[in-house]
Amino acid sequence: MNLISLQNQLDNLSFGILLLTMLIYWVGAAFPNIPFLPNLGTTGMAVANLCMATLLSARWIEAGYFPLSNLYESLFFLAWGITTMHLFAESISRSALVGVVTAPVAMAITAFAALKLPDDMQASAPLVPALKSNWLMMHVSVMMLSYATLMVGSVLAIAFLFVTRGQEIELRGSSFGGSGYRLTSSLATQNISPLTAVEPITSSNGGTTAVLALPTMAATATLTPQRLSLADTLDNISYRIIGLGFPLLTIGIIAGGVWANEAWGSYWSWDPKETWALILWLVFAAYLHSRITKGWQGRKPAILASVGFVVVWICYLGVNLLGKGLHSYGWFL
């Protein structure tokens, strides 16, 4: 079997399946009454996950090392991690709408890796001396899984902001362990009863009749019960997924420090990648602190998670494209 040819077929197949799966999820969101689309979308993500796992396994056998040494390999490992976390998030939320936001991210990553990267960057190459270590599997794989997990959690938080745009919502069930949600409205905040004003009306025969009148107030936009339920689900699942990704990030950073000491004689050298990994850790530490200790719910932590989504991409890809450091080998610069 030609493993190189198999890899070329699998990367294009993964992209095609994810593109089709993304369209299935979007059509399912637009037409929720079609019963078979959610299961079809889940099947598509599972098949794409299997294709990418097979691709990485073939690369491992063909190259003789764990396939995380260049951009092509890491992008497919990242996409594999995102589809894995998607299947986990979908199973615990029981909502096919998770795929509406996760499938496009995974599809875009595979499209860039399979269609945009030049052939020489897709080909396997001998490892540089610094990567010839068992820490390659331990450190890099855990970091990539943490990136994938945090991306899924963050993109669900972005979806929450989209669903609740312009609304102030106080949720329960994500940090406090309760259930339900409350939409803050002008009636609730001003303690005004809907039927309070009494107005006398004079009849034609000289008598008067007392009637209840509604108070005058500005119209307040509200969310439908379905969107409130969706927002509650997105907030809860985002919190749980980020809560899983943060320990992975912590373990990956610690493993990287041990490997750095073994390879370069220092646990921390303030390399751009290390600096941004620390910034990423602080962002999501602040997110979890705000939810667990401060009791933040809804939009505030979702905005913080959205910032984390950007920082993940800077840490993963940006520092390798825009700056040089100890982690830039095998990439663009």
Side-chain angles (χ1 to χ4, degrees):
M1 179 184 297
N2 189 335
L3 293 179
I4 297 178
S5 176
L6 177 63
Q7 294 168 39
N8 293 334
Q9 295 174 12
L10 286 173
D11 62 6
N12 288 290
L13 182 61
S14 300
F15 162 69
I17 292 174
L18 286 172
L19 177 60
L20 181 60
T21 302
M22 179 189 72
L23 296 176
I24 290 172
Y25 276 118
W26 286 3
V27 172
F31 303 97
N33 294 327
I34 303 178
F36 62 88
L37 288 181
N39 290 335
L40 192 60
T42 303
T43 302
M45 291 294 274
V47 173
N49 181 275
L50 181 61
C51 288
M52 289 183 285
T54 305
L55 184 156
L56 293 170
S57 299
R59 175 61 68 99
W60 194 349
I61 296 172
E62 179 243 330
Y65 55 79
F66 193 70
L68 274 175
S69 66
N70 61 24
L71 182 58
Y72 175 82
E73 295 166 357
S74 70
L75 284 170
F76 270 102
F77 192 91
L78 179 66
W80 174 82
I82 289 174
T83 56
T84 300
M85 287 300 108
H86 160 87
L87 294 171
F88 174 71
E90 197 173 64
S91 67
I92 61 177
S93 68
R94 301 185 183 278
S95 174
L97 293 176
V98 173
V100 174
V101 291
T102 57
V105 176
M107 186 277 297
I109 292 171
T110 56
F112 178 69
L115 305 178
K116 292 298 182 181
L117 284 182
D119 292 340
D120 59 334
M121 294 192 68
Q122 295 186 23
S124 59
L127 292 177
V128 298
L131 293 180
K132 293 179 179 179
S133 171
N134 292 329
W135 286 103
L136 173 65
M137 181 185 299
M138 174 61 184
H139 166 61
V140 183
S141 63
V142 174
M143 288 298 294
M144 294 302 299
L145 284 174
S146 72
Y147 291 160
T149 306
L150 294 174
M151 281 183 185
V152 171
S154 298
V155 80
L156 290 174
I158 295 172
F160 171 87
L161 291 175
F162 178 79
V163 169
T164 63
R165 59 192 182 278
Q167 303 294 318
E168 291 296 332
I169 294 178
E170 296 180 15
L171 299 169
R172 294 294 182 267
S174 298
S175 300
F176 298 112
S179 61
Y181 38 78
R182 182 170 71 256
L183 175 63
T184 302
S185 66
S186 58
L187 288 178
T189 56
Q190 299 175 20
N191 295 319
I192 299 176
S193 174
L195 299 174
T196 55
V198 179
E199 297 181 357
I201 297 178
T202 303
S203 64
S204 59
N205 59 7
T208 60
T209 303
V211 297
L212 291 174
L214 288 173
T216 302
M217 65 182 67
T220 303
T222 59
L223 297 180
T224 64
Q226 292 79 11
R227 289 182 66 185
L228 279 171
S229 178
L230 174 59
D232 189 54
T233 299
L234 290 172
D235 182 77
N236 186 276
I237 299 304
S238 172
Y239 173 51
R240 295 168 71 177
I241 296 297
I242 291 175
L244 176 62
F246 184 74
L248 291 173
L249 178 65
T250 304
I251 294 171
I253 291 174
I254 294 173
V258 175
W259 187 14
N261 184 63
E262 179 184 292
W264 302 314
S266 174
Y267 288 99
W268 195 270
S269 59
W270 293 105
D271 179 73
K273 193 83 162 183
E274 296 172 350
T275 303
W276 278 99
L278 177 60
I279 295 172
L280 178 63
W281 189 91
L282 291 174
V283 169
F284 283 105
Y287 171 88
L288 293 174
H289 174 75
S290 69
R291 299 203 64 142
I292 297 172
T293 305
K294 299 296 184 181
W296 283 12
Q297 301 290 312
R299 296 185 64 82
K300 288 182 179 179
I303 292 172
L304 195 55
S306 302
V307 173
F309 181 77
V310 177
V311 176
V312 169
W313 278 107
I314 294 174
C315 183
Y316 167 59
L317 200 57
V319 295
N320 298 91
L321 298 177
L322 303 177
K324 292 186 178 181
L326 296 172
H327 291 79
S328 295
Y329 36 69
W331 297 52
F332 288 157
L333 299 179

